[in-house]
Structures are given as C-alpha cells and as structure tokens.
Amino acid sequence: MKTISENRCFGGMQGVYSHTSSATACDMTFGLFLPEDAQDGPVPVLWYLSGLTCTHENAMVKAGAQSWAAEQGIALIFPDTSPRGEGVADDDAYDLGQGAGFYVNATQAPWAPNFRMWDYIATDLPDLVFKEFPLDAERQAITGHSMGGHGALTLAMGLPGRFRSVSAFSPICHPTNGDWGRKQLSAYLGEDEGAWAAHDATLMMRDTGLDIPLLVDTGSSDQFIDLLQPEALAQAVAARRVPATLRLQKGYDHSYFFVSSFIEDHVTFHAEALYS
C-alpha cells in the first residue's frame, strides 16, 4: 500500500492510498477518513460507493460526509468505481468500462481479467483496510449514489450478515429492466439474464428481502428518475413487507448538491445501527 496524501480533517485524517489489487489485477486507489476516535482504538466503518464516471475522489470532496462522520466517530471508505490504467479494457461510452464497473464480477471478454468489482469491494479492499487501519470489521454499514447505490443495495443483500445497515442516494433500483443496466450487465455477464438477477436490487428484494435497516432517498426532480425506477424497489419492499424508509425529496436532482443535503441524515441513520 502506498500513501498518496493525508490531510487533517475535522480532527481526524482524510487519506488517499493506492495498492495492487488481486481482484482487479491492477493498481487501485481509495480514500479513507479516520475520525479522531480512531486514535483510541478500532472504529465502525461506513462504505461509500460512487456512481458512473466517478473516482474515489467525488464523494470524498463533494458529499460533505466527514464532518458528520467525525461527530459520530465513524470511518468512511471511498473506493474507486472500476479498475483503471494501461491495459485495462475501456469503452468510448461514459456508462461502460473504466468508471462504470457496476460492482459485478465480469465473465465476458474483454472485461473479465480486470472488472471484478464485486470481489474488490467484498473481499480484496476489506482484507487490506482491516489489516492496515484501526477499523472494526464487526461494525460495518454501506451506502452509495446512483450506480453506487445499486452496488450498496446488492452487496448488502448479497452478503447477509456483513453490514448492520444500508442506504442509498438515487440508486439504480431495477437494472435488468432499464437502459442503465441491461447494456452493462449483458456486456459484463453475457446474454443469460439469469446471471443478472444477483445484481438487481428489486429482484433480490422480491426473492430474499432484507433484515437490516434500509434508507433510500431519491430526488423528485432527478433527471434520470425513469432510469432509476425507485417505484420498482418500493413495490418489492412492500411485497416482502420489509421495514424501510423510502423517500422522494421534492425538487432535488441527481447531483452532489442533493447528496450533500441529506448526507447528515444517512450518517446518523448508520450511526444508530453501528452503535446499537
């Protein structure tokens, strides 16, 4: 692991680090905020997964989460959204390839050698951070925005027992049924739609439900709301009778202005679960 930068932040430390990932077979970069409480021992962790075109830096700089995490004594981890670098497959479109990993393990050429973002978030990066930093692996929560909201929801349901709570901002809720999903899932996983179901929050909710607290915020004026399909997830939550808070926030769009407006709510929501 290499240290790229470390900056004092709200009494704690905002770091950026790189490492060679066995999952993605390339160098990866991530951000980690450690609150001041980490000087006294391991602290709980909130993972933040970012959306299309983002790197580790977008939420780290724009979401404003560090002040609230410092107040609650919670560490924040900001992974990258895909493998990157020379020799890593890419596409000219913004919604496929580098910056658009969709948190799946690709099985199709040319993506399979590097695009294993499920394993990276589920295994590879946790193995590193829990070894190198004072983090409590028994107290983890996860959130994300847009494509990252999709990842947060599917990882929470796909790794039962790992997280104590899950939330999302404007998540892609039903990717097997929309243009933000079918293109990417077919490219990464092939044409067998049966392989896609494990990466669709609505289908997973219908099939297995969720036994941890859930909070989802979507802007009513989100310019991509037809692609996000929040109503599909709401219907699945209702059908499974899963306790959840699903909110449409009047007038808000898909931007980080929206995320930063409600990040305090989400950090507080996770703190209640992490410290219960």
Side-chain angles (χ1 to χ4, degrees), residues 9-10 33 35 63-73 76 263-264 267:
C9 182
F10 293 102
F33 171 73
Q66 289 91 338
S67 63
W68 308 114
E71 187 174 294
Q72 299 288 354
L76 300 168
I263 192 69
E264 179 187 5
V267 173

Side-chain angles (χ1 to χ4, degrees), residues 98-142:
Q98 295 186 35
F102 261 75
Y103 305 100
V104 304
N105 286 340
T107 59
Q108 306 299 302
W111 314 107
N114 303 106
F115 279 73
R116 301 187 62 81
M117 288 301 294
W118 179 280
D119 282 354
Y120 180 69
I121 301 298
T123 303
D124 197 27
L125 187 53
D127 285 349
L128 176 70
V129 296
F130 289 114
K131 176 183 176 182
E132 297 289 340
F133 299 99
L135 305 174
D136 186 351
E138 298 302 315
R139 292 186 291 166
Q140 298 184 62
I142 191 167

Side-chain angles (χ1 to χ4, degrees), residues 14 29-33 48 56 59-60 63 65-66 76-80:
Q14 177 61 64
T29 301
F30 66 95
L32 170 68
F33 171 73
Y48 185 105
H56 69 282
M60 189 181 81
Q66 289 91 338
L76 300 168
I77 301 177
F78 304 99
D80 203 347

